[in-house]
Amino acid sequence: PDFFPDIAREELRRAAMDPEHGRLMELLGYRSMICVPITARGRVLGAMTFVIAGESRRYDQRDFELALDLARRAGQAMDNSLLFETVERGRRNAALLADASRVLASTPDVRSALREVGCLVGAQLGEMVQFVIADESGSYELFGWAAPDALDFVQRIRPLVNRLPAHAPVGVRHALSLQSVESFGEKDVVDLLARLPLSDDERALLGEVCAGITAPMVSRGKSVGAFVVRTRKKGRRYCPEEVELANDIAQRAALAISNSYLHRQATDAIQARDEFLSVASHELRTPLTALHLLVRTLQTPEGVPVPLTPEKLAIAERQILRIAKLVNQLFDLSRVTSGHLEMDLEDVDLATVVRDVAARMADEAFDAACTVAVRAPAPCVGRWDKFRLEQIVTNLLANALKYGRGKPVHLTVEDLGASARLTVRDAGIGILPEHAQRIFERFSRANPDRRYEGLGLGLYIIKQILEALGGTISVESEPGKGALFVVALIFGRKHGMIAARARRRAVSMEAAA
Ligand code: ADP
């Protein structure tokens, strides 16, 4: 067709279907012409045209048959080559997918794996390839690859695509909001850019992108990010197989990312458990050693019994109580983790509980040189578990004495109408802001040095008990100035009464109806 002026192309196509093609000859001024379609499996793939421009000879029937035969062979050859291309493309895609899967499975360092996969995919699919890993808070990280001559473009375009709104199909936010894979070509970019509020420079920069694929990365039903392919090659359009390939890679990457999260969680859990075991054995060994030494003083080297003095008895009791406390915490921990923390609900006055616990711990307060002041002016009765409330107050007061030695401790109980509020304030070492949330987690200790005994379990167990009772705990603190722990507890009984009242009203309305 390149031998013909542009005007003739459409005519040429038509002429291929029309053996007379008189109109075309007339148009072009050719003397004799054969024009036959090239077809394969019922599809027109092109046309073959022979012309005699100036000579007197005209094509005859034999020439025409020869042309038909040539066109048939050309059709077969073109069909074979198309088939070969399709098979070859499929093979290349399958090989790329296999390589990407191998890289993703070969290392727990998912970030470096994604960079390597980006490089593999980029060589085949586009000049810019990017994995966007997003977390629940909405922040994201980018890992990718760009062809050397696209690096500068990537630097320039990044700030722009980062701030594009979610409906702009080339922006990061859009990529993260996708439910299924999407692709676009040059025309889509032109349409899109016309609709976006951009400066001329920004529009020109984004306009350099000619085609792209964006695939959401979803694993175990949860979005973990998006996979993005972009090219500036004019006329490039991604075919369905390539879109599918990008989608497959996105799914494999998503699986690798969520596996890496699981891997990290598992390693953190194992590390926490190992640390806990070492802390727990240390904590148990200390009172056992003290008891052992004490027992050895109960007889002379010759084996003669030495009488037990009240002081020794007090030491023995303190160490046994310490062991008992540790064992009880471990027992509670196993109940919490197996979901067996049961509450024995009854009417309990929180004010009485706080006063009783403070009185019971007078000796410990004396040992810690702390004064303990309780302000609980009125009864504060709710439907709670008395033993568990005692446990909460005991633990918070014990912490206040432990971390606030020599300083006053204040306990208050207030009825706030819908809930009760218990506060425990000390003037001790306090807690750094970055540790304020962490201390309620399992095995978490804000003072890793062994100056203060403890398993890092007390606050975690308190939080679990409060969750079971419908309560919360929080802390306000300034390092060096002490800590204020605030417990809020809803009145189970009052809520019960409100619910019962609402039920009665519903029944009487029904009766009236
Ligand atoms: P532990 O048995 O280690 O005290 P907890 O769960 O009771 O365990 O407390 C967790 C961590 O919180 C402690 O290791 C300590 O670092 C910090 N903490 C708890 N109470 C206080 C407090 N009143 N003042 C300062 N730090 C505290």
Side-chain angles (χ1 to χ4, degrees):
D2 290 344
F3 286 102
F4 297 90
D6 271 354
I7 187 176
R9 284 173 186 260
E10 179 54 18
E11 289 298 333
L12 196 63
R13 203 182 62 76
R14 256 190 260 150
M17 311 295 158
D18 164 23
E20 294 300 320
H21 45 259
R23 197 174 122 62
L24 181 65
M25 278 176 48
E26 202 179 292
L27 199 78
L28 299 170
Y30 295 143
R31 190 172 173 74
S32 182
M33 178 172 180
I34 297 175
C35 192
V36 284
I38 301 173
T39 59
R41 290 186 284 155
R43 225 156 47 96
V44 179
L45 302 175
M48 221 175 201
T49 308
F50 306 84
V51 290
I52 296 172
E55 292 169 31
S56 56
R57 183 172 114 72
R58 281 171 172 268
Y59 287 126
D60 59 18
Q61 186 60 26
R62 268 186 43 228
D63 296 324
F64 183 63
E65 273 160 25
L66 181 64
L68 275 180
D69 191 41
L70 281 172
R72 192 175 45 75
R73 284 162 200 255
Q76 272 169 4
M78 282 170 79
D79 191 39
N80 282 347
S81 111
L82 284 177
L83 262 177
F84 179 74
E85 253 174 51
T86 312
V87 171
E88 184 56 18
R89 208 171 35 235
R91 194 196 59 74
R92 272 205 318 266
N93 289 352
L96 178 61
L97 197 56
D99 284 349
S101 308
R102 183 181 44 71
V103 171
L104 288 167
S106 65
T107 163
D109 177 5
V110 76
R111 283 159 176 80
S112 73
L114 289 179
R115 272 190 210 100
E116 201 178 323
V117 171
C119 185
L120 286 173
V121 178
Q124 192 165 317
L125 273 191
E127 46 174 2
M128 291 163 276
V129 169
Q130 205 155 58
F131 291 95
V132 187
I133 303 187
D135 65 19
E136 275 139 11
S137 71
S139 57
Y140 55 81
E141 285 178 272
L142 305 172
F143 298 91
W145 175 89
D149 61 346
L151 283 173
D152 174 54
F153 176 72
V154 170
Q155 293 301 332
R156 282 186 296 136
I157 203 166
R158 185 165 287 169
L160 184 54
V161 292
N162 283 359
R163 70 180 160 77
L164 281 177
H167 67 272
V170 279
V172 171
R173 248 167 279 285
H174 174 75
L176 292 176
S177 70
L178 278 187
Q179 300 293 320
S180 59
V181 65
E182 217 178 67
S183 70
F184 61 84
E186 249 161 297
K187 191 173 164 321
D188 305 307
V189 175
V190 174
D191 290 351
L192 163 80
L193 293 185
R195 276 185 278 125
L196 287 179
L198 297 166
S199 73
D200 288 348
D201 284 352
E202 289 171 337
R203 192 162 287 129
L205 188 64
L206 277 176
E208 286 188 40
V209 176
C210 290
I213 308 173
T214 312
M217 297 200 292
V218 179
S219 174
R220 300 182 180 98
K222 240 181 80 183
S223 166
V224 292
F227 175 50
V228 177
V229 178
R230 300 283 182 262
T231 184
R232 291 181 301 167
K233 245 186 224 134
K234 290 264 170 258
R236 177 80 157 95
R237 184 133 209 149
Y238 289 107
C239 66
E241 289 91 354
E242 288 173 317
V243 175
E244 201 180 316
L245 171 69
N247 200 27
D248 283 346
I249 287 174
Q251 296 329 308
R252 280 170 175 64
L255 191 64
I257 292 167
S258 71
N259 282 348
S260 87
Y261 290 157
L262 288 177
H263 183 265
R264 199 170 56 213
Q265 273 171 9
T267 6
D268 287 354
I270 290 170
Q271 194 185 341
R273 186 204 60 190
D274 290 349
E275 270 168 32
F276 168 72
L277 286 177
S278 98
V279 172
S281 46
H282 173 90
E283 288 296 309
L284 283 166
R285 203 180 314 119
T286 314
L288 279 175
T289 312
L291 271 179
H292 186 212
L293 291 174
L294 189 100
V295 168
R296 282 172 58 179
T297 64
L298 294 183
Q299 62 178 11
T300 62
E302 295 76 37
V304 181
V306 175
L308 188 59
T309 61
E311 293 75 29
K312 282 184 183 168
L313 197 60
I315 294 173
E317 196 179 357
R318 228 183 5 253
Q319 301 308 335
I320 289 168
L321 284 177
R322 205 169 146 188
I323 294 173
K325 185 181 163 198
L326 293 169
V327 172
N328 282 339
Q329 281 194 339
L330 291 175
F331 195 50
D332 275 347
L333 175 68
S334 81
R335 276 202 284 220
V336 166
T337 37
S338 63
H340 288 122
L341 195 66
E342 275 160 21
M343 295 293 139
D344 196 359
L345 298 183
E346 58 181 321
D347 285 354
V348 189
D349 179 10
L350 181 60
T352 309
V353 168
V354 171
R355 273 193 296 270
D356 287 352
V357 171
R360 224 180 292 148
M361 292 179 67
D363 285 350
E364 285 172 43
F366 181 80
D367 289 346
C370 292
T371 56
V372 177
V374 177
R375 194 169 63 79
C380 203
V381 181
R383 197 144 181 83
W384 299 310
D385 181 316
K386 182 162 182 272
F387 170 74
R388 294 296 177 188
L389 281 196
E390 284 175 354
Q391 195 180 350
I392 292 172
V393 182
T394 307
N395 269 318
L396 290 178
L397 181 52
N399 278 352
L401 299 177
K402 180 162 63 170
Y403 299 106
R405 277 188 82 82
K407 308 267 172 56
V409 176
H410 295 270
L411 298 159
T412 67
V413 177
E414 286 164 278
D415 183 339
L416 300 182
S419 63
R421 193 171 120 116
L422 158 72
T423 65
V424 180
R425 180 195 294 278
D426 65 63
I429 60 169
I431 299 157
L432 287 168
E434 60 266 34
H435 292 154
Q437 281 312 309
R438 196 170 64 77
I439 56 172
F440 297 103
E441 287 168 20
R442 213 155 47 145
F443 314 141
S444 187
R445 314 191 72 240
N447 313 289
D449 64 81
R450 302 297 321 152
R451 202 147 50 95
Y452 298 96
E453 64 188 50
L455 295 176
L457 278 178
L459 291 177
Y460 170 73
I461 292 168
I462 290 178
K463 195 160 175 254
Q464 304 308 310
I465 295 173
L466 284 169
E467 269 171 23
L469 287 174
T472 57
I473 181 163
S474 58
V475 65
E476 293 162 26
S477 176
E478 237 182 278
K481 295 204 173 154
L484 168 69
F485 282 85
V486 181
V487 171
L489 266 168
I490 53 163
F491 290 108
R493 192 173 62 122
K494 284 192 179 169
H495 278 258
M497 278 164 62
I498 291 166
R501 223 180 292 142
R503 250 196 320 275
R504 268 204 302 282
R505 206 176 308 134
V507 169
S508 62
M509 278 167 73
E510 242 171 56

